[in-house]
Amino acid sequence: GVEAVRATVRACIERGVGYLTLFAFSTENWRRPEDEVSILMDLFVRALDQEVGKLHRNGIRFRVIGDTSRFDPRIRELIAAGEAMTARNTRLTLTIAANYGGRRDIAQAAQRYFAEHPEAAKGPPILPEALEPYLALNYAPEPDLFIRTGGEQRISNFLLWQLAYTEFHFTDML
């Protein structure tokens, strides 16, 4: 998987893509068998340990969206350190969606909006644009292209809000 990510990042840079978001671990993945989740977490630690420095050397900004509170403290530390190290990089923003779910993202955006604007609950209906700054991917433009590999033809709770006007491409190849 890491080599596929490297190749994808290289291809994005070659083509002038500014933002790449990869779905690494969904909120639903916690339902997998415990040993499988443990292996995925170990892989995540190794990838963070081995790849973030390379991203930084190549001018790539690293971001993670999703609820990282369920992750081991070591993973949270590596994420925070990687985001801090690469914060000023501008060549490409690579976002990893980890313990992310589109429905939860929208619900949390609404909660944050109403926490900051309590008067809005009594006023006229809010416009969708009012929630956009509260979404996890608020720093990036809406995606132009969604690619799903492996034969599935669904978005699986990924960027539900952001994919409204995105072109979809599904491929059987992993």
Side-chain angles (χ1 to χ4, degrees):
V2 172
E3 187 51 46
V5 170
R6 286 184 194 137
T8 302
V9 167
R10 276 192 299 270
C12 286
I13 289 171
E14 290 169 5
R15 289 162 178 79
V17 172
Y19 293 85
L20 172 64
T21 303
L22 302 174
F23 205 175
F25 191 85
S26 76
T27 52
E28 292 81 12
N29 285 155
W30 293 108
R31 297 181 199 146
R32 291 180 176 200
E34 189 176 325
D35 59 333
E36 189 175 331
V37 170
S38 179
I39 290 168
L40 291 171
M41 293 301 121
D42 289 345
L43 290 171
F44 198 23
V45 167
R46 272 192 280 165
L48 289 166
D49 259 340
Q50 297 172 5
E51 301 300 318
V52 172
K54 295 173 190 172
L55 294 173
H56 182 57
R57 286 189 295 278
N58 285 289
I60 298 166
R61 184 176 187 188
F62 171 75
R63 302 277 311 255
V64 174
I65 58 171
D67 178 9
T68 60
S69 67
R70 284 192 67 183
F71 293 143
D72 182 82
R74 176 74 176 135
I75 292 175
R76 292 194 309 267
E77 290 168 11
L78 288 168
I79 290 170
E83 288 181 332
M85 177 194 311
T86 64
R88 293 195 172 127
N89 295 342
T90 59
R91 193 172 187 193
L92 169 76
T93 297
L94 171 63
T95 301
I96 303 298
N99 196 24
Y100 173 87
R103 290 176 177 174
R104 183 177 180 159
D105 188 15
I106 294 168
Q108 288 182 335
Q111 288 172 337
R112 287 194 297 269
Y113 175 83
F114 285 114
E116 287 188 23
H117 304 91
E119 74 286 354
K122 299 173 190 152
I126 63 170
L127 297 173
E129 298 80 29
L131 288 183
E132 288 175 356
Y134 300 92
L135 294 165
L137 207 60
N138 61 17
Y139 55 86
E142 290 180 351
D144 291 318
L145 179 63
F146 170 88
I147 301 171
R148 173 88 189 238
T149 62
E152 298 289 339
Q153 293 192 10
R154 55 190 167 87
I155 59 174
S156 300
N157 199 18
F158 181 62
L159 303 179
L160 297 178
W161 184 284
Q162 296 85 350
L163 293 177
Y165 298 101
T166 300
E167 298 293 327
F168 286 56
H169 177 75
F170 300 100
T171 176
D172 290 332
M173 186 183 339
L174 287 172

